[in-house]
């Protein structure tokens, strides 16, 4: 699969009503500086589709990117390191919860974890929250280029064990710099599309 066209279609803030899309949605969740925007840009093959920032907490909205006029990437607000008030963080949490529980087109959630560090409490809470809402997330271990090649297996094992992931959980080492993992993510998206297309035609 290849993304040949992409655009930011809808931006939803705290008070916005979520759109009722007709295409399948793939959501991306992760802490504030885990590299969601860079990953979306990498997968889409565009440098500035999603805005990247060195400032954690830049994504304070739910952003819907239309891909190939057939599916959406949904970028959820980052959690964890953002320097915002507790009240605002709670509102972001409610935004994400509202999305997870009301979207009719959400098919798969990619949970991004920084491969350099042991998953945080926030990472574990988000994983458990996703599972509680009936989804089996695919884990993307970002910033692969920031560690030595010899450390990869050790860090992947750390993610799996500290989060107590089931054996069948998919964990994709990923680098937006080298594009390693890009094809694996696109393959998973393509597989999901093939599974849901007959349902949409019925």
């Amino acid at each position: 699969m290849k993304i040949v066209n992409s655009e930011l279609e809808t931006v939803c803030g705290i008070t916005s009503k979520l759109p009722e899309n007709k295409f399948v949605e793939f959501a991306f969740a992760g802490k504030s500086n885990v590299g969601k925007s860079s990953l979306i840009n990498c997968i889409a093959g565009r440098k500035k589709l999603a805005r990247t920032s060195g400032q954690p907490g830049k994504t304070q909205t739910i952003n819907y990117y239309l891909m190939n006029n057939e599916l959406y990437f949904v970028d959820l607000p980052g959690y964890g390191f953002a320097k915002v008030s507790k009240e605002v963080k709670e509102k972001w949490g409610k935004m994400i919860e509202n999305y997870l529980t009301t979207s009719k087109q959400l098919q798969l959630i990619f949970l991004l974890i920084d491969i350099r560090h042991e998953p945080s409490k926030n990472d574990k809470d988000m994983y458990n929250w996703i599972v509680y809402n009936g989804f089996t997330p695919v884990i993307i271990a970002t910033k692969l280029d920031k560690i030595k090649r010899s450390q990869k297996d050790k860090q992947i094992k750390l993610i799996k064990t500290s989060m107590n992931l089931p054996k069948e959980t998919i964990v994709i080492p990923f680098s937006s710099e080298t594009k390693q993992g890009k094809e694996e993510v696109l393959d998973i998206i393509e597989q999901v599309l093939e599974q849901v297309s007959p349902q949409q035609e019925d």
Side-chain angles (χ1 to χ4, degrees), residues 91-191:
K91 287 181 178 178
W92 289 357
K94 288 178 181 177
M95 284 173 66
I96 297 173
E97 182 178 22
N98 183 40
Y99 173 73
L100 292 181
T101 56
T102 62
S103 172
K104 297 177 182 177
Q105 295 291 359
L106 177 58
Q107 293 293 327
L108 183 66
I109 301 171
F110 292 101
L111 177 58
L112 280 60
I113 305 289
D114 190 329
I115 197 170
R116 299 174 297 176
H117 310 295
E118 180 177 352
S120 66
K121 181 180 183 301
N122 284 324
D123 291 326
K124 296 172 186 177
D125 288 346
M126 177 58 76
Y127 172 79
N128 291 328
W129 196 13
I130 291 169
V131 172
Y132 175 79
N133 280 284
F135 295 94
T136 302
V138 170
I139 308 297
I140 300 181
T142 63
K143 307 196 178 187
L144 178 62
D145 54 287
K146 303 295 185 184
I147 63 171
K148 295 178 181 177
R149 188 176 298 179
S150 59
Q151 295 177 299
K152 183 185 76 171
D153 291 344
K154 175 188 173 185
Q155 294 305 111
I156 292 294
K157 184 178 180 181
L158 177 63
I159 290 173
K160 290 180 176 179
T161 53
S162 65
M163 296 184 70
N164 197 26
L165 299 178
K167 285 186 178 180
E168 64 272 16
T169 302
I170 299 172
V171 180
I172 302 174
F174 186 91
S175 167
S176 57
E177 295 292 326
T178 67
K179 296 181 174 56
Q180 183 169 340
K182 175 179 178 177
E183 291 305 317
E184 286 89 335
V185 174
L186 286 170
D187 286 347
I188 289 173
I189 291 171
E190 187 171 28
Q191 290 169 20

Side-chain angles (χ1 to χ4, degrees), residues 1-3 67-68 70-71 183 186-187 189-190 193:
M1 180 183 183
K2 185 177 181 180
I3 305 294
M67 304 290 182
N68 289 354
E70 65 172 346
L71 64 106
E183 291 305 317
L186 286 170
D187 286 347
I189 291 171
E190 187 171 28
L193 285 176

Side-chain angles (χ1 to χ4, degrees), residues 17-116:
K17 184 178 184 295
L18 298 177
E20 294 184 8
N21 293 319
K22 63 179 181 178
F23 296 129
V24 172
E25 296 171 5
F26 296 84
F28 294 83
K31 66 185 179 184
S32 300
N33 62 346
V34 76
K36 282 192 287 94
S37 297
S38 296
L39 180 142
I40 289 172
N41 288 337
C42 177
I43 300 298
R46 289 181 59 183
K47 290 184 178 180
K48 296 182 179 179
L49 176 65
R51 290 183 299 174
T52 59
S53 172
Q55 178 185 355
K58 186 69 174 177
T59 302
Q60 301 179 13
T61 52
I62 297 179
N63 299 334
Y64 291 78
Y65 298 92
L66 179 60
M67 304 290 182
N68 289 354
N69 295 312
E70 65 172 346
L71 64 106
Y72 286 96
F73 284 0
V74 182
D75 186 9
L76 301 176
Y79 54 82
F81 294 144
K83 292 182 179 179
V84 296
S85 68
K86 182 179 179 182
E87 180 184 2
V88 171
K89 288 182 181 179
E90 288 176 352
K91 287 181 178 178
W92 289 357
K94 288 178 181 177
M95 284 173 66
I96 297 173
E97 182 178 22
N98 183 40
Y99 173 73
L100 292 181
T101 56
T102 62
S103 172
K104 297 177 182 177
Q105 295 291 359
L106 177 58
Q107 293 293 327
L108 183 66
I109 301 171
F110 292 101
L111 177 58
L112 280 60
I113 305 289
D114 190 329
I115 197 170
R116 299 174 297 176

